Amino acid sequence: MAADEKELEENETDVSVEEFAEKLNLEIICSGGGTMHMSTLNINRPGLHLAGYYEHFGEDRIQVLGEMETAYLLGLDERRRYDAVDKLFDREFPCVIISGGKQPCKEILECAQKHSKVVFGTKLHSTMLINELSIYLNELLAPRIVMHGVLLDLYGVGVLMIGKSSIGKSETALELVQRNHRLVADDAVCIKRVSDRLVGSAPPVIRYLMEVRGIGIVDIRRLYGAGAVKLTKVIDMAVNLENWDEEKEYDRLGGETEHYSILGMDIPMYTVPVKSGRNLAAIIEVAARNHRLKGMGYDVIKELDMRQKIQDDEF
């Protein structure tokens, strides 16, 4: 089963110079045009390019000038140094970051102004800087969707409730909040794939809010306190609520695991039939607890089979 995706993945974005500098604790040396277009996780150290080799140049990559690149530039005479920097800055790329606390030479400042390039400085050495950049870009450019559902944190398990509108997702989530679980998102869930994890959150405009039919919009954080909400949560499993179908044969042993596909990743899914008198909150709590047990290696079906074999041997 695949997610009902409202907005498909986006793998590129614009970032303001100020926001980028704040996130990575960088010094703004030249602000360029004020925004940068990010479209790749790859990062470039342009040592070969400063030496004149441009057969393979990643114009969509952040350029990191480390200690070696800086030393190479300072070893050139002024004319060659200006030509090397000018040729580099004439290319299209998001920004240049000078690492190791090195001060930019005057040629970098002149060419940055000439070509309206963004230049940052940092005290971090190149290896640590590239690690920080990789983490930041991996999250910034992660594939993402916005889908209909409710996301909660139950016993540390990220549970995504899905199902048709008016099936009872929000009402069930409200009861789970009253049972001291935490709401992440109601109605719309923003999901992004970061490495091999699905991370869910609420759109900022409806963060911590819930729609309760007959009452309207309520603020869960103000009603129940900060401990009743959570900003983000890794999604571990899905619960599909559907109207009880008398002709459908529902799984009674739990031997077969359904899966729900989001952004190319499959997570376990449990289909819970809904009808009058069923305590959905209690059932979903059991599903979350059972998922944790499976994660710790306990399999109730294997346990049942072992008990059956022991009983057969005794007779």
Side-chain angles (χ1 to χ4, degrees):
M1 186 174 182
D4 178 18
E5 301 179 1
K6 288 185 178 181
E7 296 181 13
L8 296 177
E9 59 187 74
E10 296 182 8
N11 294 312
E12 52 187 76
T13 187
D14 290 333
V15 181
S16 72
V17 171
E18 293 76 13
E19 178 187 352
F20 187 79
E22 182 181 355
K23 290 285 187 181
L24 292 162
N25 195 26
L26 304 174
E27 174 193 357
I28 301 173
I29 297 173
C30 296
S31 60
T35 60
M36 302 174 295
H37 186 71
M38 302 294 182
S39 60
T40 181
L41 303 176
N42 297 316
I43 299 160
N44 189 48
R45 293 189 65 175
L48 284 174
H49 307 112
L50 290 171
Y53 180 79
Y54 280 91
E55 290 298 320
H56 302 283
F57 181 77
E59 295 196 348
D60 53 353
R61 302 181 182 187
I62 293 173
Q63 308 294 315
V64 173
L65 294 180
E67 292 85 344
M68 288 187 293
E69 291 82 6
T70 302
Y72 171 77
L73 284 175
L74 293 177
L76 302 175
D77 60 56
E78 288 189 9
R79 181 70 258 172
R80 290 177 61 200
R81 183 161 58 241
Y82 182 89
D83 289 343
V85 175
D86 186 58
K87 191 172 183 180
L88 174 66
F89 279 39
D90 191 39
R91 303 278 173 151
E92 292 297 327
F93 50 79
C95 65
V96 168
I97 305 177
I98 303 172
S99 64
K102 302 295 183 181
Q103 293 301 310
C105 58
K106 66 177 183 178
E107 290 80 8
I108 288 179
L109 298 177
E110 291 174 6
C111 292
Q113 293 293 332
K114 175 182 176 181
H115 297 283
S116 297
K117 286 294 186 285
V118 180
V119 180
F120 298 100
T122 179
K123 294 181 180 179
L124 291 177
H125 291 288
S126 300
T127 302
M128 290 299 298
L129 171 63
I130 290 172
N131 286 340
E132 294 291 328
L133 282 171
S134 296
I135 294 170
Y136 171 79
L137 292 172
N138 193 39
E139 183 171 351
L140 178 71
L141 301 176
R144 62 193 67 202
I145 61 169
V146 178
M147 60 174 292
H148 180 64
V150 179
L151 179 60
L152 299 114
D153 180 349
L154 275 68
Y155 307 115
V157 178
V159 179
L160 176 66
M161 276 197 291
I162 58 175
K164 293 181 179 179
S165 181
S166 76
I167 194 70
K169 298 185 296 296
S170 294
E171 288 81 358
T172 302
L174 182 60
E175 184 173 348
L176 287 166
V177 168
Q178 292 175 333
R179 290 169 176 251
N180 297 318
H181 300 295
R182 305 174 76 181
L183 174 74
V184 180
D186 177 65
D187 190 51
V189 184
C190 300
I191 303 173
K192 57 185 176 182
R193 178 173 178 172
V194 182
S195 297
D196 290 325
R197 303 185 305 165
L198 295 171
V199 181
S201 62
V205 71
I206 60 170
R207 186 172 294 154
Y208 309 140
L209 304 182
M210 178 183 288
E211 178 190 354
V212 181
R213 282 179 172 81
I215 296 177
I217 306 296
V218 297
D219 189 323
I220 295 299
R221 183 170 62 172
R222 290 184 179 274
L223 286 174
Y224 296 96
V229 295
K230 194 168 186 179
L231 190 60
T232 64
K233 180 62 184 172
V234 174
I235 301 173
D236 299 298
M237 55 174 279
V239 174
N240 178 32
L241 302 182
E242 67 175 31
N243 289 315
W244 191 297
D245 185 351
E246 297 293 345
E247 297 182 358
K248 182 176 179 179
E249 187 67 29
Y250 291 102
D251 188 5
R252 300 180 64 181
L253 295 177
E256 297 181 3
T257 302
E258 295 182 86
H259 287 91
Y260 191 60
S261 180
I262 304 175
L263 294 172
M265 285 191 64
D266 290 339
I267 57 174
M269 183 181 75
Y270 302 89
T271 297
V272 177
V274 177
K275 72 175 183 179
S276 179
R278 298 203 87 196
N279 189 332
L280 296 179
I283 293 171
I284 293 173
E285 280 184 330
V286 169
R289 285 179 177 270
N290 194 49
H291 180 83
R292 287 189 62 186
L293 280 176
K294 286 183 177 180
M296 291 185 286
Y298 178 78
D299 191 326
V300 68
I301 299 300
K302 291 181 180 179
E303 176 73 15
L304 182 60
D305 287 342
M306 183 181 67
R307 293 182 185 182
Q308 186 66 47
K309 288 178 182 179
I310 292 174
Q311 179 176 302
D312 292 342
D313 292 341
E314 289 178 349
F315 290 96

